[in-house]
């Protein structure tokens, strides 16, 4: 399993990234309702990922890759974040805060507002981001249309407002967004087509206390947007020339000022949306890759914390049942499955109960982590792990190991995406 089995805390030293959460992409009944709402309104959830400029490894090439990695023949290049050894350690509060995020649901969700004129391609790109980066897509327009279809008392008012291309009162939209976020077991949200005006923005911030990470803004000329909407053909009541023109005016008068506001805070990421769907997505992808790197590092930290605290259920949840490993304990052999690792968790528990000691915890420190993404569904995390072992016979001893951990994003039986640890390589680090 790669490490000590006694009770411990994980000190997250030597890193520049501040991790947020592990993306487990669970689809709750609420998100399924939203999907249903989408199909009712005929909105596209289309598009498999283009893969952008990265190589996407098939299952077969993945095995080859593992063989190379295992043989020490693989060099990790490409995007990474470097971390200076000895950089500041997380404070106790931050560590506790991160520990609280182990359940993936935090009070501090990651929100990206997706703005752009009507027909600029917001919904199309959001579907691709969901596919590749696992965000939950909340379209304010879809939520409002679902509210009409639900027979709510506000239904007629919302329907008339949409027909006129006007903006629905902020409290109605914010309430729908907040409810959808609360019902969704995720921490990563794309909020599409909102805030539509300054009041929307102020009410959302006031009610939820959430500041967006950034604003993804699709910039597209009116004639192109008009052409796209007129050929959208999804039976939307507002996709007619008269309402389209009104929507363009509302966009210019009310939504552009919101974008301008965020410009002043440096949060706008403007994308030229005139190109093809895949070309636009290629421009979008770099904005999301670091979230995946962040999540993979956090998943690794959670795994190590599980090892150090002897928490086998966490280890089992994060690891693929057929996890493969090269580690000193396996005497140079490739071991497969979790049983080999479970032995050490059981041993730790037995030793602790027989000795009855409750001494200080084993402490792991990750030094110089690097996260390399292989397409959008796989990634490799490498680092040196220092483990301070408080108990005898090696009391006060620090061990140093180089670890390479491979993660793959997979769909579970419920069809939900989750990161699974599929292989690791651990060897003693040369000491200085
Ligand atoms: N880059 C693109 N090139 C050509 N057509 C596109 C592109 N992006 C989206 N489309 C098409 O244009 C239409 C509008 O796209 P989409 O529904 O994603 O826009 P939107 O910004 O979400 O619109 P709205 O604000 O009205 O909901 C759809 O039919 C979609 O397939
Ligand atoms: O925050 C919002 C979002 C949307 N509306 C109304 O819905 C329609 C359609 O929105 P799309 O984003 O194009 O699906 C929009 O024209 C508004 O009338 C809103 O009021 N507030």
């Amino acid at each position: 399993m790669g490490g000590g089995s006694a009770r411990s805390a994980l000190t997250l030293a030597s890193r520049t990234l501040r991790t947020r959460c592990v993306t487990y992409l669970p689809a709750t009944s609420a998100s399924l309702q939203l999907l249903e709402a989408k199909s009712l309104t005929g909105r596209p959830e289309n598009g498999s990922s283009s893969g952008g400029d990265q190589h996407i490894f098939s299952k077969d090439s993945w095995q080859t890759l593992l063989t190379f990695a295992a043989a020490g023949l693989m060099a990790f290049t490409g995007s990474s974040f470097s971390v200076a050894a000895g950089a500041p350690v997380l404070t106790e509060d931050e560590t506790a805060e991160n520990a609280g995020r182990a359940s993936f649901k935090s009070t501090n969700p990651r929100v990206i507002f997706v703005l752009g004129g009507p027909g600029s391609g917001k919904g199309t790109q959001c579907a691709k981001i969901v596919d590749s980066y696992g965000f939950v897509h909340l379209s304010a327009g879809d939520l409002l249309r679902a509210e009409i279809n639900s027979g709510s008392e506000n239904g007629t008012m919302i329907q008339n407002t949409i027909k006129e291309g006007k903006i629905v009162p902020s409290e109605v939209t914010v309430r729908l967004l907040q409810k959808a976020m609360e019902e969704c077991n995720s921490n990563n949200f794309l909020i599409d087509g909102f805030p539509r005006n300054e009041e929307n923005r102020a009410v959302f911030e006031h009610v939820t206390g959430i500041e967006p990470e950034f604003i993804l803004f699709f910039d597209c000329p009116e004639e192109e947007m008009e052409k796209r909407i007129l050929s959208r053909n999804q039976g939307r009541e507002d996709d007619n020339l008269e309402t389209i023109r009104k929507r363009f005016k509302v966009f210019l008068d009310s939504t552009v000022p919101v974008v301008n506001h965020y410009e002043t805070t440096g949060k706008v990421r403007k994308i030229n949306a005139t190109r093809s769907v895949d070309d636009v997505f290629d421009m979008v992808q770099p904005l999301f890759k670091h979230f995946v790197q962040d999540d993979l590092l956090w998943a690794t930290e959670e795994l190590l914390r599980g090892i150090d605290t002897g928490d086998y259920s966490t280890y089992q949840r994060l690891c693929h049942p057929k996890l493969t490993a090269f580690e000193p304990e396996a005497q140079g052999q490739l071991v497969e499955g979790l049983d080999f690792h479970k032995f050490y968790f059981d041993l730790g528990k037995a030793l602790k109960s027989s000795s009855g000691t409750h001494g200080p915890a084993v402490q792991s420190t990750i030094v110089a982590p690097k996260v390399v993404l292989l397409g959008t569904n796989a990634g490799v995390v490498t680092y040196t792990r220092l483990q301070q072992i408080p108990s005898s016979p090696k009391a006060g001893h620090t061990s140093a190991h180089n670890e390479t951990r491979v993660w793959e994003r997979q769909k579970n039986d419920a069809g939900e995406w989750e990161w699974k640890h599929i292989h690791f390589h651990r060897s003693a680090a040369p000491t200085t």
Side-chain angles (χ1 to χ4, degrees):
M1 68 179 173
S5 52
R7 200 158 180 68
S8 77
L10 176 69
T11 304
L12 306 175
S14 315
R15 43 177 258 179
T16 51
L17 260 192
R18 191 188 141 101
T19 54
R20 300 284 310 253
C21 70
V22 183
T23 311
Y24 277 58
L25 320 175
T28 59
S29 57
S31 47
L32 291 175
Q33 273 166 21
L34 282 172
L35 283 177
E36 247 174 52
K38 273 186 185 304
S39 59
L40 275 176
T41 53
R43 294 299 297 273
E45 277 293 355
N46 60 327
S48 55
S49 84
S50 69
D53 57 354
Q54 290 201 316
H55 300 291
I56 297 189
F57 284 79
S58 68
K59 272 263 188 278
D60 286 349
S61 53
W62 186 241
Q63 286 304 328
T64 313
L65 179 75
L66 288 185
T67 312
F68 286 153
L73 292 174
M74 207 169 87
F76 296 107
T77 59
S79 61
S80 63
F81 45 84
S82 61
V83 178
V89 176
L90 279 189
T91 63
E92 269 180 33
D93 280 354
E94 285 173 320
T95 308
E97 187 192 352
N98 277 340
R101 288 191 178 129
S103 61
F104 325 133
K105 184 78 183 164
S106 88
T107 51
N108 190 15
R110 194 186 267 158
V111 165
I112 288 151
F113 287 147
V114 183
L115 293 176
S120 57
K122 301 181 294 296
T124 305
Q125 293 299 323
C126 283
K128 293 177 83 66
I129 298 165
V130 168
D131 269 357
S132 295
Y133 298 100
F135 274 65
V136 167
H137 175 204
L138 298 178
S139 154
D142 283 348
L143 289 171
L144 291 168
R145 283 182 283 270
E147 188 72 353
I148 298 171
N149 291 332
S150 75
S152 121
E153 56 180 305
N154 284 326
T156 311
M157 178 275 290
I158 297 172
Q159 190 167 26
N160 291 335
T161 310
I162 289 181
K163 246 192 245 166
E164 280 301 305
K166 292 185 180 157
I167 298 172
V168 172
S170 299
E171 59 274 16
V172 173
T173 316
V174 170
R175 186 179 47 77
L176 291 173
L177 284 169
Q178 194 185 22
K179 184 162 170 276
M181 288 172 78
E182 279 169 7
E183 288 174 354
C184 213
N185 193 13
S186 175
N187 234 13
N188 297 321
F189 297 98
L190 294 171
I191 300 194
D192 162 11
F194 181 93
R196 231 52 183 203
N197 59 17
E198 279 288 317
E199 191 206 53
N200 275 181
R201 180 180 71 75
V203 172
F204 182 86
E205 276 178 20
H206 179 74
V207 170
T208 67
I210 295 171
E211 273 277 331
E213 297 276 326
F214 61 81
I215 314 308
L216 183 56
F217 175 58
F218 292 107
D219 190 25
C220 197
E222 272 190 18
E223 50 290 10
E224 175 65 19
M225 296 195 283
E226 188 175 296
K227 200 171 76 190
R228 289 181 188 176
I229 295 179
L230 289 175
S231 52
R232 179 155 58 184
N233 203 17
Q234 288 173 359
R236 273 177 57 167
E237 275 195 285
D238 55 347
D239 278 359
N240 59 75
L241 204 51
E242 194 190 338
T243 314
I244 291 169
R245 297 264 156 90
K246 287 181 185 165
R247 286 158 69 198
F248 284 157
K249 182 161 169 30
V250 170
F251 172 69
L252 287 176
D253 292 347
S254 303
T255 313
V256 168
V258 178
V259 178
N260 291 341
H261 163 84
Y262 283 118
E263 281 283 8
T264 65
T265 64
K267 287 198 169 174
V268 177
R269 309 288 179 267
K270 186 163 151 182
I271 302 285
N272 175 354
T274 52
R275 314 257 301 266
S276 72
V277 171
D278 283 349
D279 283 354
V280 174
F281 190 53
D282 283 348
M283 293 185 267
V284 166
Q285 294 215 60
L287 299 171
F288 286 85
K289 280 180 185 156
H290 76 280
F291 289 131
V292 181
Q293 290 177 317
D294 215 1
D295 289 345
L296 277 184
L297 186 55
W298 170 245
T300 303
E301 288 163 356
E302 193 184 17
L303 185 84
L304 299 195
R305 197 180 295 119
I307 295 168
D308 284 350
T309 58
D311 174 3
Y312 183 67
S313 66
T314 293
Y315 192 80
Q316 197 176 26
R317 173 169 54 76
L318 292 171
C319 294
H320 191 279
K322 291 195 168 164
L323 172 79
T324 50
F326 278 117
E327 62 174 339
E329 289 87 338
Q331 303 289 330
Q333 307 301 309
L334 182 73
V335 287
E336 182 174 331
L338 296 185
D339 284 353
F340 185 85
H341 311 289
K342 186 170 183 294
F343 171 86
Y344 295 100
F345 283 92
D346 292 343
L347 181 66
K349 228 189 260 169
L351 289 176
K352 209 175 122 228
S353 65
S354 70
S355 70
T357 53
H358 294 282
V362 170
Q363 187 163 275
S364 282
T365 299
I366 291 179
V367 182
K370 240 177 147 149
V371 182
V372 179
L373 301 183
L374 307 164
T376 53
N377 289 332
V380 176
V381 184
T382 63
Y383 52 90
T384 298
R385 177 175 171 197
L386 300 179
Q387 269 187 302
Q388 291 166 283
I389 301 160
S391 54
S392 60
K394 285 179 151 187
H397 173 77
T398 299
S399 73
H401 285 88
N402 293 329
E403 298 190 350
T404 298
R405 296 192 180 265
V406 184
W407 295 82
E408 192 176 37
R409 202 164 70 109
Q410 305 177 340
K411 270 197 177 157
N412 65 19
D413 292 344
E416 298 158 348
W417 285 104
E418 55 188 17
W419 285 104
K420 285 285 178 190
H421 184 29
I422 59 168
H423 175 78
F424 73 88
H425 195 138
R426 168 181 158 88
S427 55
T431 47
T432 49

